[in-house]
Amino acid sequence: MAKVPAAAVAAGGLIGGYGVARWTGKRQLGGAVLAVAGATAAQQWRRQAGGQAAGALTVAYVAGFAGSHPLAKKVGAWPAVFGVAGAVALASWAVADRRG
């Protein structure tokens, strides 16, 4: 079975977490999606690039989530979520995924 890149898991967690929260009206459910995807990506980051890189990418993931809120006030919710998801995915690819 093909492995899903950590970049896709992280971006999917940010996008999916927001989508679930928005469409269900249950922020906790969106938070659960965000947390599960973040933990899954962090495990992959640790295996692929080591603990320090996993820690830094986890900080980027959480910062992307937090940063999407004020950014949404300027550009809109979905553009903010897609923007931070793309930034986290790019960081994940550069630090961990391209190493294989």
Side-chain angles (χ1 to χ4, degrees), residues 41-87:
Q43 287 179 335
Q44 287 184 249
W45 292 328
R46 188 172 42 255
R47 276 195 310 271
Q48 292 173 318
Q52 280 188 310
L57 289 167
T58 300
V59 167
Y61 183 79
V62 173
F65 165 70
S68 68
H69 292 82
L71 183 59
K73 293 180 181 179
K74 296 184 185 306
V75 300
W78 280 112
V81 170
F82 285 130
V84 299

